Amino acid sequence: MNRYSRRSLLKGAALPAAGIFALPSLARAIQETSTPQQRPKVKITDVRTAQVLVHGPQTHVRIYTDQGIYGQGESTDAAVGTASLVHGFRRMLIGQDPLNVDALWEKIRVQGIFAGAQGGQYITALTGVEIALWDLAGKALGLPVYQLMGGKFRDKIRMYCDSDMENPVGAESDRKLPWIKERGFTAMKIDLDDATDPARFDKVNWTASNGEIDRMVSWVKHVRESIPKEMDLACDMHGRYDATTGKRVAVALEPYRLLWLEEPVPPEDIDAMADIRHSTTTPICCGENLYLRWGYTELLQKRAADIIMPDIQKVGGLSEARKIANMAQAYYVPFAPHCVVSPIGTMASAHVCVTIPNYLVCEWHWINHLEVWKTFVKEGEIIINGYVTPPDKPGFGVEMNEEVAKTVQIKGTTWFEPNNT
Ligand code: MG
């Protein structure tokens, strides 16, 4: 029997009537037994950056306060440019109350409307600032960030391993595929685009030949048959190909029941993405190079993707990722964030992902940088049996191990220095 039939819901609707009269006394009892907390008075005193190069460049942002605490955030891609932009945001942040996270974010975004604040480096820089503000807010209020975002739907988030292989058939694959399984991952990803494929007839145009499509299918077949049946497999085409290729590959891969086929065409070609999606049973995923809510409106309205994959470290930040996830939920589209950052950014992603009902799975992309990954934060390895659990500590609950992080510092950049450029 359906526990939540219309009849039972209507019946239940009458119940709160008695509860309404009980509320004032309940509220009074709670107030009498609690210790009221004062909202902390805190002001931003400095904004500093450090830049590292691991899987691509990352900018770490620290926001300092007059109360001796700081928050740390991380943004990725276009990192060298974003550091300069972050320093340019200082004048809009210093002296401000960091607990007004969304208002500060909006102030900086609106200020940049005529300077490219619709996406790219400007929004990536703003993202690092916003994520640092959330860590700071959690520390100032003594709560984990997930609690500030409305609380948890789940205690831990499922991760997938990007295998980061040049060729999924061969020695590297023989070594990595068993490792991914042993580490407890239940999903993984391979890349299908190969600029060096001898079957390519042109160095610039990415219309795939029959030989290239055969090679892609053989890669998927090999990996699919080498990993457990229950492990999910996603494949990435990096938005390089045209609509015809995308459609042919998606259909050719149908027997392999992929978790998704990622960006068969560039993400701005929304009509082509929709056309491919409607021509195949292979789920289509895209979004890592789209920015802000407005980057996702047409994609969702045209039902061009089965799954969206915003990069939380560049899409606008934690609040923005949550808003995009909520928009996607209105279309019953799952949310599977792209993630190529350190344990700090990954943990920030985990805090927001536990608050998102339509969360599916999150990327991990440091398989080729294991030693740095395992020691980058003082807490050590954060992926346990293929899952990340946000701790119940204030903020994100992880702290950079600077000794390790400095080993991957981008040459010629400064390290959390005051007023650096
Ligand atoms: Mg991708």
Side-chain angles (χ1 to χ4, degrees):
M1 184 187 143
N2 181 3
R3 289 174 58 212
Y4 299 107
S5 66
R6 184 169 180 273
R7 183 187 291 264
S8 69
L9 286 171
L10 287 172
K11 200 175 162 190
L15 289 176
I20 287 168
F21 297 105
L23 274 179
S25 58
L26 177 63
R28 205 165 34 246
I30 291 169
Q31 282 167 11
E32 281 168 7
T33 53
S34 341
T35 310
Q37 298 286 326
Q38 288 244 312
R39 186 184 185 279
K41 285 188 167 44
V42 56
K43 277 188 179 170
I44 297 172
T45 54
D46 205 357
V47 183
R48 305 178 192 173
T49 59
Q51 295 166 77
V52 300
L53 183 69
V54 188
H55 180 75
Q58 283 93 40
T59 300
H60 288 266
V61 179
R62 275 188 190 164
I63 298 183
Y64 295 79
T65 64
D66 59 355
Q67 298 300 314
I69 50 171
Y70 67 79
Q72 183 161 335
E74 180 178 11
S75 62
T76 194
D77 291 344
V80 176
T82 55
S84 300
L85 284 161
V86 169
H87 302 148
F89 298 159
R90 288 179 82 250
R91 64 188 168 79
M92 289 182 271
L93 291 164
I94 289 175
Q96 299 298 311
D97 181 343
L99 301 184
N100 295 320
V101 178
D102 284 0
L104 289 174
W105 181 92
E106 183 68 351
K107 181 179 169 186
I108 298 172
R109 186 188 73 82
V110 170
Q111 185 74 25
I113 280 176
F114 295 95
Q118 291 73 26
Q121 288 192 7
Y122 194 97
I123 294 303
T124 302
L126 176 53
T127 297
V129 167
E130 195 256 16
I131 295 176
L133 287 171
W134 278 115
D135 186 41
L136 178 51
K139 288 172 177 168
L141 296 166
L143 289 169
V145 171
Y146 71 76
Q147 200 63 62
L148 304 182
M149 307 203 115
K152 295 188 284 188
F153 283 92
R154 58 190 67 78
D155 291 328
K156 57 185 183 178
I157 64 159
R158 182 189 180 207
M159 305 293 292
Y160 73 86
C161 177
D162 188 298
S163 57
D164 205 356
M165 293 189 281
E166 289 292 316
N167 185 340
V169 180
E172 187 184 9
S173 177
D174 292 346
R175 179 170 52 83
K176 281 184 172 173
L177 296 183
W179 184 91
I180 292 167
K181 176 181 173 285
E182 281 159 23
R183 289 296 296 255
F185 286 104
T186 54
M188 61 165 288
K189 188 162 87 181
I190 60 170
D191 297 336
L192 296 183
D193 51 309
D194 179 8
T196 66
D197 189 334
R200 286 189 75 193
F201 292 118
D202 189 275
K203 285 183 180 175
V204 181
N205 180 18
W206 281 84
T207 304
S209 66
N210 285 340
E212 285 177 271
I213 295 176
D214 287 346
R215 188 260 310 155
M216 292 182 202
V217 172
S218 72
W219 279 8
V220 174
K221 183 173 187 293
H222 173 77
V223 174
R224 185 64 273 173
E225 289 172 355
S226 304
I227 60 176
K229 192 162 65 71
E230 60 275 14
M231 186 184 283
D232 281 321
L233 175 62
C235 296
D236 195 352
M237 296 176 75
H238 287 118
R240 296 191 198 277
Y241 296 89
D242 56 25
T244 307
T245 301
K247 201 181 289 188
R248 292 178 69 204
V249 171
V251 171
L253 295 179
E254 284 176 359
Y256 302 99
R257 298 167 71 196
L258 297 183
L259 179 61
W260 68 66
L261 181 65
E262 186 168 317
E263 297 195 327
V265 289
E268 65 271 20
D269 197 348
I270 290 171
D271 286 329
M273 197 78 75
D275 190 26
I276 295 168
R277 187 199 166 211
H278 294 126
S279 71
T280 180
T281 59
T282 298
I284 302 301
C285 178
C286 92
E288 71 177 87
N289 289 312
L290 299 175
Y291 293 87
L292 303 172
R293 275 156 279 174
W294 303 281
Y296 286 85
T297 48
E298 192 184 352
L299 185 82
L300 291 166
Q301 284 163 357
K302 289 190 169 169
R303 300 192 177 257
D306 295 277
I307 299 158
I308 58 161
M309 45 164 298
D311 188 313
I312 296 176
Q313 281 72 41
K314 68 188 202 191
V315 76
L318 304 191
S319 279
E320 198 64 11
R322 211 158 167 270
K323 287 166 187 166
I324 293 165
N326 289 343
M327 280 166 54
Q329 195 192 10
Y331 293 87
Y332 301 103
V333 169
F335 176 87
H338 184 258
C339 189
V340 295
V341 293
S342 82
I344 293 173
T346 305
M347 189 57 84
S349 290
H351 275 269
V352 71
C353 288
V354 295
T355 75
I356 289 172
N358 47 327
Y359 170 76
L360 178 64
V361 68
C362 178
E363 181 171 12
W364 174 67
H365 207 121
W366 281 26
I367 192 171
N368 291 340
H369 312 279
L370 277 180
E371 286 314 307
V372 181
W373 169 263
K374 285 190 284 191
T375 51
F376 198 89
V377 291
K378 292 177 180 171
E379 291 73 14
E381 176 61 84
I382 62 164
I383 302 178
I384 310 296
N385 285 328
Y387 286 80
V388 172
T389 304
D392 291 332
K393 296 178 189 168
F396 298 135
V398 288
E399 198 181 335
M400 179 188 257
N401 180 349
E402 291 199 39
E403 209 175 298
V404 172
K406 276 183 179 173
T407 65
V408 286
Q409 181 181 359
I410 295 177
K411 284 190 174 60
T413 61
T414 54
W415 192 265
F416 296 125
E417 284 176 23
N419 300 307
N420 53 5
T421 54

